[in-house]
Amino acid sequence: MELSGNEGKPVTWNAGLSWFDDEVDGWRRTWEGSIGIRPVPAVSVRLEPSWTRSVSSRQFVTSLGGGTAATFGGRYVFANVDRSTLSASIRVNYAFSPDLSLEFYGEPFAASGHYRDFGEAPDARSFRIRRYGTDGTTGAQTFNLPDRDFSVLSFRSNLVLRWEWRPGSTLFVVWQQDKFGDATRDVGVRSLFDAFKADGGQFLAVKVTYWLAAR
């Protein structure tokens, strides 16, 4: 489902909602939106937030030994995964003149996932999962499973100065940031602001193209 405003106006917007459900209790809900502002012809600003919440009930985790002949001696472990992701891309363009412009793109991002309700496939090609602690799986045997839970932040951005100093000859100056880190709280709006403070690297590049006129 999507709604949008008049694209010919100085302020444009749209919002969309999608949902998905499957027959084994998996589901996904996604909301996306955008708002664009062009106060004057030389300036444009656009914000595009996105939020997704989902549950996957058939996420492969790992394989172990000690299985039955029905699974060829292996134990194939699956789990339910609760995921949340939040992002907000930002674009700002400013044209000083037809030959000189400055463009910015940035995207703070946050995601978390929690694995739960572990179980294993009872036989090859089976879609059914025997959840541990039910269906006769409780016993004296114990084993360890890897911790796949995650909660991460990232921020990537580009700032590009473009100057066409003569027809066909252009100078580009690019400043890029790439930050990544672990989140200290559940995913929420504040997580996007935390992404700006994550550790990362910076990169500066200069490119010059020169047009040689054929004679």
Side-chain angles (χ1 to χ4, degrees):
M1 181 174 64
E2 184 173 353
L3 297 173
S4 61
N6 189 336
E7 293 294 328
K9 298 290 185 179
V11 178
T12 61
W13 62 271
N14 69 67
L17 174 67
S18 64
W19 59 93
F20 164 85
D21 294 271
D22 62 31
E23 67 275 20
V24 289
D25 299 325
W27 55 269
R28 181 178 66 249
R29 308 286 184 266
T30 299
W31 178 86
E32 296 177 310
S34 71
I35 181 169
I37 303 173
R38 186 180 289 274
V40 295
V43 178
S44 65
V45 180
R46 192 166 191 86
L47 174 65
E48 297 179 341
S50 175
W51 170 84
T52 299
R53 178 85 167 82
S54 66
V55 171
S56 173
S57 61
R58 293 294 186 274
Q59 177 64 51
F60 177 73
V61 177
T62 189
S63 60
L64 305 169
T68 66
T71 53
F72 308 100
R75 305 179 69 170
Y76 299 93
V77 182
F78 296 81
N80 285 8
V81 186
D82 295 331
R83 294 188 182 94
S84 296
T85 62
L86 187 63
S87 66
S89 63
I90 307 162
R91 300 176 187 270
V92 181
N93 297 334
Y94 181 74
F96 299 94
S97 70
D99 302 326
L100 180 62
S101 65
L102 185 65
E103 300 178 358
F104 172 79
Y105 172 81
E107 183 178 22
F109 174 87
S112 64
H114 175 61
Y115 286 67
R116 58 177 175 80
D117 299 334
F118 294 85
E120 62 185 64
D123 50 61
R125 300 175 184 254
S126 174
F127 199 62
R128 187 170 67 90
I129 301 296
R130 297 178 66 198
R131 300 294 177 184
Y132 295 141
T134 66
D135 197 19
T137 60
T138 302
Q141 185 180 14
T142 63
F143 52 87
N144 294 321
L145 293 174
D147 182 7
R148 304 290 193 191
D149 289 358
F150 62 90
S151 186
V152 297
L153 304 170
S154 75
F155 175 67
R156 295 181 177 180
S157 68
N158 291 290
L159 184 64
V160 180
L161 177 69
R162 178 186 179 276
W163 177 34
E164 189 173 4
W165 44 282
R166 57 176 294 177
S169 301
T170 310
L171 168 69
F172 295 91
V173 180
V174 182
W175 176 45
Q176 183 182 71
Q177 294 187 91
D178 190 357
K179 298 183 176 183
F180 183 84
D182 296 325
T184 57
R185 58 170 64 96
D186 293 336
V187 169
V189 175
R190 290 180 60 187
S191 302
L192 297 182
F193 292 95
D194 293 339
F196 291 103
K197 298 180 287 186
D199 295 329
Q202 302 185 43
F203 180 77
L204 180 66
V206 178
K207 176 184 177 181
V208 179
T209 61
Y210 184 79
W211 177 265
L212 297 174
R215 296 183 180 178

